[in-house]
Amino acid sequence: MDIKSSLSGIFESLLEKEPLFKNKEALRHSYTPSELPHRESEIRQLATILTPSLRGETPSNILIYGKSGTGKTIVSRFIGNELMETGRKISVPISVPYLNCEVTDTQYRILSNLAKAFGKNVPFTGWPTDKVYNSFKEAADREQQCIIIILDEIDKLIGKNGDNILYNLSRINSELKNSRVSIIGISNDLKLTEYLDSRVQSSLGEEKVVFSPYNARQLEDILKQRAELGFKEGVLEEYVIPLCAALAAREHGDARRALDLLRVSGEVAERENSDVVTEKHVRKANEKIEADNIAEVVRTLPTQSKLLLYSVILLDERGEKTITTGEVYTTYKRLCKAVSMDVLTQRRISDLISELDMLGILNSRVVSKGRYGRTKEIKMEVPPIGIRAVLEDDIRMKKLSDYRLPQRRLI
DNA sequence: AATCCACAGGAAGCCCGGGAAC
DNA sequence: GTTCCCGGGCTTCCTGTGGATT
């Protein structure tokens, strides 16, 4: 067959065709390079606090603060590895288990993961929590060693039963004979301690390290380093990296964002069969990332909010110059009937509109139209076309794709 | 100056699911 | 297992309000 012959080997040809990247992994934020630019002082600070562990003493517990993409995780993991390495050389056993509390978000899961890290086999559910706790304690205490537990995204534990685990871990030393435990907590939330139990607060926050956001110049250095590893030589135009850095710096200096931007720029360029990455590609990549983020937010919206958003889009497409709460509400009620869903009250819808506003999907502001009342004026903050497609992906809203709004009545 | 529209947005309470305590 | 409690989503009822209109 004709088609078959022209398409056979399609994957081979696509595989070969990676003219721009040398090692794409190096451009992901999960990659740990051997050097971490502009975090020397933080690394030194942490190292100073942790050095006692190499002398067999117990280092202070540490809380690390900083916004996303400031290198908290990568620096902690780096220093953990260095510590274990050095410990091995001078035969002081140190282990540095790493846990992400967004994934392991209950007392049970944390303890069972810790127990597993020390070779215990704990079922993922079933045991009473204190049995798991004892299991971990026993395993940890089997030989003399220093254990430094890294708890990433520790703020995700607050409010759950997580306060408990923090309290238990911070006191575990009094129950151990051979080993010593200390904790490194990592948080995005600068106000973390306000939410903590005061006992936990004082023991956990013995030392505090703050990671400040990178500025554009520092981001540039990071990108340069990674680009050297990730891209082939000479495929980046001169202003690509500075532009990526500048765009990411606008977003509170998020290195993760900067790296994503650079990598996606490369992908965009590749897809366009360009043999260099240009500023144009960066701008496209930026739009793509933004659009993907929004699409993701919209996709995970509760159904009622989706329906509400759909109403706004319909009104917007009908060409209303100003959309008010009342108009949205009447359209929304029609749509509810069309897909046979419960109708919420206007009070609630008003709140949902404000939520969408906070998410940056809508823009609503309160205006007074004098005799004609006070209302919210609502505008789409993002292009509706893409959003509409995402909304129609929802099974419950499929039928709406050919729904027609009644024509605007002319006064 | 008084009126009055079309809502905003606060307060209280209902309902329900899920986890902790008994 | 049952009971208790909590938080989130939601309704009901409410008071408040900026400015065009009267």
Side-chain angles (χ1 to χ4, degrees):
Chain A
M1 281 285 276
D2 218 359
I3 296 177
K4 210 172 189 176
S5 64
S6 69
L7 283 182
S8 73
I10 178 170
F11 286 112
E12 280 95 329
S13 63
L14 283 175
L15 258 182
E16 280 165 22
K17 192 172 131 294
E18 258 211 351
L20 300 180
F21 291 107
K22 189 160 64 185
N23 173 17
K24 207 189 268 187
E25 281 310 305
L27 295 167
R28 296 190 189 277
H29 47 254
S30 49
Y31 179 86
T32 312
S34 54
E35 276 175 43
L36 303 169
H38 300 295
R39 287 285 102 124
E40 295 84 2
S41 76
E42 284 82 358
I43 292 176
R44 197 160 300 125
Q45 208 179 337
L46 285 172
T48 315
I49 301 169
L50 292 173
T51 310
S53 64
L54 293 167
R55 294 191 219 102
E57 298 158 22
T58 319
S60 304
N61 294 328
I62 307 175
L63 266 181
I64 300 179
Y65 296 104
K67 295 196 174 174
S68 57
T70 48
K72 302 181 298 295
T73 304
I74 208 170
V75 165
S76 331
R77 301 199 78 149
F78 173 82
I79 204 135
N81 288 337
E82 288 289 308
L83 209 51
M84 287 195 277
E85 194 69 26
T86 316
R88 200 168 308 129
K89 271 183 212 152
I90 61 171
S91 50
V92 177
I94 296 180
S95 41
V96 189
Y98 169 91
L99 293 176
N100 186 322
C101 302
E102 183 158 31
V103 194
T104 44
D105 58 348
T106 63
Q107 171 147 237
Y108 187 94
R109 285 186 198 147
I110 290 176
L111 287 170
S112 71
N113 270 333
L114 285 174
K116 269 181 213 151
F118 290 95
K120 283 273 180 174
N121 202 3
V122 179
F124 65 89
T125 180
W127 285 10
T129 310
D130 61 329
K131 186 172 175 189
V132 187
Y133 179 74
N134 286 328
S135 171
F136 162 60
K137 216 169 64 186
E138 198 182 295
D141 213 17
R142 205 163 349 173
E143 56 174 319
Q144 194 171 343
Q145 62 179 330
C146 186
I147 301 166
I148 297 166
I149 304 172
I150 302 180
L151 293 174
D152 204 348
E153 309 204 40
I154 200 170
D155 36 335
K156 294 281 154 49
L157 290 178
I158 310 296
K160 303 192 172 184
N161 60 352
D163 316 35
N164 251 327
I165 179 80
L166 295 180
Y167 180 63
N168 288 337
L169 282 180
S170 65
R171 286 186 347 148
I172 196 171
N173 278 333
S174 59
E175 298 181 39
L176 293 174
K177 289 190 193 68
N178 302 318
S179 329
R180 311 268 84 195
V181 168
S182 58
I183 301 172
I184 301 180
I186 304 179
S187 163
N188 286 319
D189 191 343
L190 289 136
K191 294 193 303 248
L192 174 78
T193 45
E194 284 178 26
Y195 310 126
L196 284 177
D197 188 297
S198 57
R199 294 166 303 180
V200 179
Q201 209 180 102
S202 52
S203 74
L204 204 59
E206 287 171 329
E207 296 279 356
K208 291 179 186 165
V209 180
V210 177
F211 280 49
S212 48
Y214 298 105
N215 62 31
R217 280 226 48 86
Q218 298 172 327
L219 285 174
E220 228 173 276
D221 287 336
I222 296 173
L223 290 180
K224 260 182 213 149
Q225 172 210 29
R226 299 288 191 103
E228 224 157 89
L229 298 165
F231 281 104
K232 290 183 183 158
E233 203 132 329
V235 298
L236 296 183
E237 273 193 354
E238 189 185 354
Y239 290 108
V240 165
I241 286 182
L243 180 58
C244 286
L247 287 171
R250 280 211 302 237
E251 304 262 325
H252 67 259
D254 186 340
R256 183 178 306 181
R257 178 71 186 260
L259 281 166
D260 284 341
L261 191 52
L262 185 59
R263 178 172 46 81
V264 174
S265 303
E267 287 168 358
V268 169
E270 217 162 58
R271 208 162 306 145
E272 292 184 0
N273 283 322
S274 167
D275 42 8
V276 283
V277 184
T278 69
E279 283 180 56
K280 199 185 73 204
H281 296 133
V282 177
R283 301 213 181 266
K284 274 195 185 164
N286 198 37
E287 279 168 28
K288 180 175 168 4
I289 289 175
E290 214 112 272
D292 285 353
N293 287 344
I294 292 167
E296 190 47 38
V297 173
V298 171
R299 192 170 299 119
T300 52
L301 241 33
T303 321
Q304 292 288 0
S305 298
K306 285 186 181 173
L307 215 49
L308 163 63
L309 185 54
Y310 205 91
S311 320
V312 179
I313 291 177
L314 286 183
L315 288 169
D316 182 88
E317 284 178 355
R318 197 172 73 175
E320 303 284 342
K321 60 269 155 232
T322 56
I323 305 173
T324 65
T325 310
E327 286 167 349
V328 171
Y329 190 59
T330 39
T331 340
Y332 159 79
K333 276 193 287 190
R334 287 209 185 97
L335 295 190
C336 279
K337 205 174 282 174
V339 296
S340 49
M341 276 184 36
D342 294 346
V343 183
L344 301 183
T345 55
Q346 183 157 347
R347 180 69 188 83
R348 180 67 187 141
I349 291 299
S350 171
D351 278 348
L352 291 182
I353 292 175
S354 305
E355 274 175 32
L356 290 177
D357 178 45
M358 300 245 269
L359 288 171
I361 303 172
L362 295 181
N363 183 301
S364 82
R365 63 195 183 96
V366 185
V367 289
S368 179
K369 295 158 134 39
R371 190 64 197 261
Y372 304 107
R374 255 156 74 85
T375 182
K376 283 196 184 103
E377 246 180 41
I378 301 156
K379 276 189 305 191
M380 290 298 295
E381 184 85 341
V382 289
I385 317 107
I387 300 221
R388 185 167 176 168
V390 175
L391 289 174
E392 283 164 9
D393 273 348
D394 193 314
I395 345 134
R396 284 157 297 195
M397 305 190 51
K398 274 254 158 54
K399 340 178 183 172
L400 289 179
S401 54
D402 48 358
Y403 181 85
R404 287 280 159 274
L405 213 56
Q407 274 305 305
R408 183 169 17 156
R409 56 197 145 61
L410 305 164
I411 315 142

